[in-house]
Amino acid sequence: MIANYIDQIIMFCAGIWITAVGFGYLPLPGNATTQPPWVSTIAGHFKWMGPLLLAIAVVLAVFK
């Protein structure tokens, strides 16, 4: 039971971080000049993946 909540807390924190990176509040880790071009594409998807992960974490925490 407690392990489920710990899993949801970790998922919620990851969702917050992904959302913050997607909307530009936090930079991506690493040097921006040496990153391959696909990194910016993935970071663009963080705008919808982060809130989706947050919603999934909340729904799973409520209904488990």
Side-chain angles (χ1 to χ4, degrees):
M1 174 94 174
I2 303 252
N4 290 334
Y5 288 118
I6 292 172
D7 185 40
Q8 303 316 316
I9 291 170
I10 292 170
M11 190 183 304
F12 189 80
C13 291
I16 290 173
W17 180 79
I18 290 172
T19 303
V21 169
F23 286 104
Y25 294 116
L26 292 174
L28 278 173
N31 190 355
T33 58
T34 60
Q35 291 177 342
W38 58 267
V39 173
S40 63
T41 304
I42 294 295
H45 289 294
F46 281 4
K47 288 182 181 179
W48 63 268
M49 289 188 328
L52 179 65
L53 187 60
L54 287 171
I56 291 171
V58 169
V59 167
L60 288 176
V62 169
F63 291 112
K64 266 195 172 182

